[in-house]
Amino acid sequence: MHTYRTHNCGELRDTNVGDEVRLSGWVHRVRDHGGLLFIDLRDHYGLTQCVIEPDAEMFAAAEEVRAEWVIKVEGRVEARSDETINTDLDTGRVEVRMSGLEVLSEAQELPLPVFGEPEYPEDIRLKYRFLDLRRDTLHRNIVMRSKIITFLRERMVAQGFTEYQTPILTASSPEGARDFLVPSRMHPGKFYALPQAPQQFKQLIMMAGFDRYFQIAPCFRDEDARADRSPGEFYQLDIEMSFVTQDDVFGAVEPVMRDLFEQFSDGKPVTKDFPHIPYAEAMRKYGSDKPDLRNPIEMEDVTGHFRGSGFKVFAGQIEKDERVEVWAIPAKTGGSRAFCDRMNSWAQGEGQPGLGYIFFRDGRQGAGPIAKNIGEARTEAIREQLGLDDGDAVFFVCGLPAKFAEFAGAARTRAGEELGLVDHDRFEFCWIVDFPMYEWNEDEKRVDFSHNPFSMPQGGMEALENMDPLEIKGWQYDIVCNGIELSSGAIRNHKPEIMVKAFEIAGYGPEVVEEKFGGMLRAMQYGAPPHGGIAPGVDRMVMLLCGEPNIREVTMFPMNQQAEDLLLGAPSNVSAAQLRDLHIRLNLPKKG
RNA sequence: GGGGGUGUAGCUCAGUUGGUUAGAGCGCUGGCCUGUCACGCCAGAGGCCGCGGGUUCGAGUCCCGUCACUCCCGCCA
């Protein structure tokens, strides 16, 4: 018989009745009836009820055990009587009649109970993560994460991709997030950086002639945390392919995502064919480049109905600036003054002057101040355009779309959520395509890359030379699920002269490109294949599939919001000798 | 760097207009209990009310500061 166990704690069934078995695990729960004592023994696999009676030799020892002690139990598997079967347990038809018990390891009084699922303070959970991880939901989330990653690897390999590893110690990149730096011992005053993503490496892999790369890639960015963003590190399903168009990338990635979500979504429906939504259309309809398509509300331009109308607040703005538009946010079933006023005061809380509205009642009559001001005919035209009826409402935002789109999108989200129009039990995917290559940086009054500077502009060199930079679109795309951006990707620029020109438009001279991206530029000069890729965020996929709003619920050993590891104590002080080796002298901020 | 929330027993929380000895559940200790599976019953221990200062005859409660955790903004090509 094995030293510790013949079976695991989730294994025993009717067919084992009569077997002499040995189980090891944690004491999940003890129920001491005096004349009869139950121990629920738990391990990774499940829970088995063990029972002992006072005449048994080990009874005194059994009365001593406490929650989370590690014990070894021996005994005979017995069938439970009909009235004592527990259908909630896989092992609930049997129990182990204890004849032997050995304590393998005792536990102090717990700072954090393993039994039950109430919420506990994050700092205690993180300090005692090993206990937290024993708890059922978190334990299952972590296992789910592993299964998801295994699925991704298997599918990628099956589709002809190969996993290659890229360096962890690399060069600091001039664009993007703040880098984590690692001081060089051999080169005083110089630093490595941890990769924000293997972006340049995966393109070099394509240029080196390896086709179809993927990697479950660790990425490091020294940015502040959010609920859905760990401080410091996260994982991407990093993908790159040679000789491909945008549609080839979609064709490779979309089935993997759809099948992944169908397999792990617990029966929730998943989008069959991901719609392709141009960036401009997404902004106009949803006020966001990561729209939640579970929300049925689509915004519409209703500027014409307000031009020259009696609602002077809007009409005046339209008069003054031809770029001013009015967008309507139709809200089915939102047609009550109480709801409209609630939306209005929410908008004021967001720093807006308010949120104008019309709601319809009594035979499609428009109600509210705006309806009064613009009159029946215009009100009816708006109602007609949006297909609204009694009991519905519509909200309006007016101004320059670039300025109000984000707020309009937030109002759309809020109306959809408050009115219960959003179906939470589904996964709605889409591709957002045709992102602008550049955007206007208002602070610095100049043109900036809006996405990835390595992307191929649509129209290539000709577009860069002849078009208004702000009109140029890139072969850049995002994959979005339920309002969450899972990934950005692009068809890359593989021509050195286009790269130089693209950077020139953003204000970087050829010497800057040479200095910062010399390696990439050289690679392009020696035969670079057209290539492209994408990098869906693994953590966010796992969050969606586990239904967890917080990334720490799907991460085994997360840091807290202040980027500290409370279990192992990182970051930590280092010795003077270590600093000397690295040629570093501390220059600490003054206290207070 | 900025804004919001929270902080009372090992843990989750309650605590009235400022007023005697700060409570409950879980856990812990002891006792009882032969079919529980959130077992039940009885008793007990356990508190710098985050920390510092102030107002007051009197502060868990009001004010100021500070610390910790968290959510958000900035940031995240």
Side-chain angles (χ1 to χ4, degrees):
Chain A
M1 196 178 258
H2 185 269
T3 311
Y4 295 115
R5 59 185 174 192
T6 56
H7 299 75
N8 68 51
C9 294
E11 202 175 349
L12 297 175
R13 297 290 184 276
D14 286 338
T15 50
N16 298 104
V17 169
D19 293 354
E20 284 291 334
V21 300
R22 184 175 279 175
L23 300 178
S24 288
W26 286 264
V27 175
H28 191 63
R29 197 88 174 140
V30 179
R31 291 176 296 282
D32 186 352
H33 291 236
L36 183 71
L37 185 147
F38 299 98
I39 295 173
D40 289 339
L41 196 64
R42 185 198 72 237
D43 65 11
H44 175 74
Y45 307 95
L47 202 68
T48 299
Q49 175 167 283
C50 305
V51 61
I52 190 167
E53 292 179 7
D55 50 349
E57 190 183 342
M58 305 307 298
F59 188 80
E63 282 192 303
E64 293 295 311
V65 305
R66 291 291 176 265
E68 298 309 308
W69 287 24
V70 179
I71 63 173
K72 180 171 84 177
V73 164
E74 288 164 14
R76 183 184 298 275
V77 180
E78 295 186 351
R80 297 203 202 181
S81 65
D82 286 348
E83 47 309 346
T84 61
I85 286 173
N86 184 347
T87 51
D88 294 337
L89 287 180
D90 291 339
T91 60
R93 300 182 65 82
V94 299
E95 62 194 0
V96 173
R97 178 80 43 176
M98 282 189 275
S99 55
L101 183 157
E102 183 185 338
V103 175
L104 301 175
S105 177
E106 297 187 3
Q108 298 178 7
E109 187 177 346
L110 302 170
L112 175 80
V114 173
F115 176 79
E117 289 283 339
E119 294 189 20
Y120 289 93
E122 289 273 351
D123 43 348
I124 291 175
R125 292 182 56 195
L126 293 176
K127 183 172 178 185
Y128 298 96
R129 192 62 167 180
F130 46 87
L131 289 178
D132 199 21
L133 286 164
R134 288 181 198 167
R135 301 169 73 211
D136 191 49
T137 301
L138 187 55
H139 201 91
R140 278 189 288 117
N141 285 354
I142 298 300
V143 171
M144 170 91 105
R145 180 190 180 106
S146 174
K147 286 181 175 163
I148 287 168
I149 289 172
T150 299
F151 178 95
L152 292 173
R153 281 209 163 94
E154 285 175 351
R155 280 299 300 266
M156 294 306 290
V157 169
Q159 289 189 188
F161 288 83
T162 307
E163 183 161 18
Y164 301 107
Q165 288 174 312
T166 51
I168 300 298
L169 292 176
T170 180
S172 179
S173 63
E175 296 258 332
R178 197 179 293 118
D179 283 317
F180 277 105
L181 297 177
V182 179
S184 165
R185 174 179 55 83
M186 296 178 70
H187 301 278
K190 292 189 176 179
F191 293 82
Y192 303 93
L194 305 184
Q196 295 185 20
Q199 180 64 36
Q200 292 191 65
F201 287 116
K202 70 173 173 176
Q203 292 192 237
L204 290 166
I205 289 170
M206 294 303 103
M207 296 171 190
F210 298 90
D211 207 336
R212 294 170 89 85
Y213 144 94
F214 87 100
Q215 181 180 201
I216 305 294
C219 304
F220 306 90
R221 296 176 190 175
D222 185 4
E223 297 296 337
D224 290 345
R226 289 289 183 275
D228 62 351
R229 199 169 81 198
S230 288
E233 53 192 72
F234 59 97
Y235 286 83
Q236 290 180 339
L237 171 60
D238 199 35
I239 297 172
E240 199 75 6
M241 312 159 70
S242 287
F243 305 110
V244 289
T245 63
Q246 180 170 287
D247 283 339
D248 294 322
V249 178
F250 292 0
V253 175
E254 187 171 319
V256 176
M257 302 298 287
R258 181 174 47 242
D259 293 355
L260 172 76
F261 274 70
E262 281 184 345
Q263 170 138 357
F264 292 97
S265 72
D266 200 22
K268 294 179 185 174
V270 180
T271 311
K272 293 293 174 205
D273 290 300
F274 300 2
H276 298 189
I277 306 173
Y279 171 84
E281 181 185 332
M283 293 309 292
R284 172 163 294 281
K285 278 190 180 171
Y286 311 108
S288 170
D289 61 359
K290 43 185 179 188
D292 187 347
L293 296 183
R294 297 173 305 173
N295 182 343
I297 297 174
E298 292 188 4
M299 302 191 292
E300 292 191 31
D301 183 352
V302 292
T303 313
H305 301 303
F306 283 93
R307 184 173 291 116
S309 76
F311 189 58
K312 298 300 179 196
V313 183
F314 285 6
Q317 289 185 63
I318 297 168
E319 193 76 17
K320 259 186 257 168
D321 187 337
E322 61 179 9
R323 296 172 303 163
V324 164
E325 294 182 12
V326 182
W327 288 8
I329 308 165
K332 289 258 182 204
T333 75
S336 72
R337 195 173 297 274
F339 174 70
C340 292
D341 285 346
R342 207 156 66 236
M343 286 294 289
N344 187 53
S345 41
W346 164 79
Q348 288 167 347
E350 296 287 297
Q352 300 292 328
L355 189 58
Y357 59 83
I358 297 173
F359 63 99
F360 298 94
R361 61 179 179 189
D362 305 332
R364 298 174 167 182
Q365 295 289 307
I370 290 184
K372 282 204 189 71
N373 277 300
I374 63 175
E376 272 184 37
R378 288 171 185 267
T379 302
E380 173 58 17
I382 290 169
R383 192 200 62 73
E384 181 89 1
Q385 179 183 335
L386 299 170
L388 297 176
D389 211 331
D390 279 356
D392 297 339
V394 53
F395 298 93
F396 302 100
V397 288
C398 175
L400 297 175
K403 302 239 175 185
F404 72 57
E406 190 184 347
F407 164 70
R412 167 185 178 269
T413 298
R414 187 167 180 90
E417 290 286 353
E418 291 243 328
L419 296 171
L421 305 177
V422 177
D423 175 5
H424 288 274
D425 289 324
R426 56 191 310 112
F427 292 103
E428 288 287 350
F429 280 89
C430 62
W431 293 100
I432 306 295
V433 299
D434 299 341
F435 276 86
M437 190 78 186
Y438 299 99
E439 64 190 7
W440 183 248
N441 183 330
E442 186 60 37
D443 293 340
E444 300 176 29
K445 304 287 179 201
R446 63 184 187 85
V447 169
D448 240 345
F449 286 111
S450 69
H451 241 61
N452 184 323
F454 303 122
S455 300
M456 180 68 100
Q458 293 186 22
M461 192 59 138
E462 198 188 320
L464 293 182
E465 283 175 337
N466 300 317
M467 286 177 70
D468 174 354
L470 298 178
E471 295 293 317
I472 301 171
K473 293 179 174 61
W475 290 113
Q476 301 183 146
Y477 36 85
D478 279 3
I479 189 165
V480 173
C481 178
N482 291 0
I484 291 170
E485 180 196 318
L486 281 183
S487 173
S488 285
I491 297 301
R492 321 298 174 188
N493 170 25
H494 64 283
K495 302 224 175 203
E497 64 274 16
I498 295 181
M499 182 169 171
V500 170
K501 179 70 183 172
F503 274 84
E504 181 193 313
I505 289 171
Y508 302 99
E511 68 288 346
V512 178
V513 180
E514 172 59 40
E515 185 197 335
K516 299 298 184 188
F517 304 107
M520 280 278 283
L521 200 57
R522 266 195 302 289
M524 287 182 185
Q525 289 160 345
Y526 290 92
H531 61 286
I534 195 165
V538 171
D539 309 82
R540 290 195 173 165
M541 286 189 260
V542 178
M543 284 172 71
L544 278 169
L545 287 168
C546 289
E548 294 287 0
N550 192 303
I551 198 166
R552 290 184 294 273
E553 303 302 325
V554 298
T555 308
M556 214 161 195
F557 298 106
M559 295 197 285
N560 69 7
Q561 197 179 38
Q562 280 69 243
E564 298 165 304
D565 175 345
L566 297 178
L567 179 56
L568 298 188
S572 62
N573 294 316
V574 297
S575 70
Q578 284 173 297
L579 289 176
R580 253 197 321 277
D581 266 355
L582 297 168
H583 324 286
I584 284 178
R585 184 179 299 148
L586 298 181
N587 178 15
L588 301 175
K590 291 188 179 71
K591 280 181 190 164

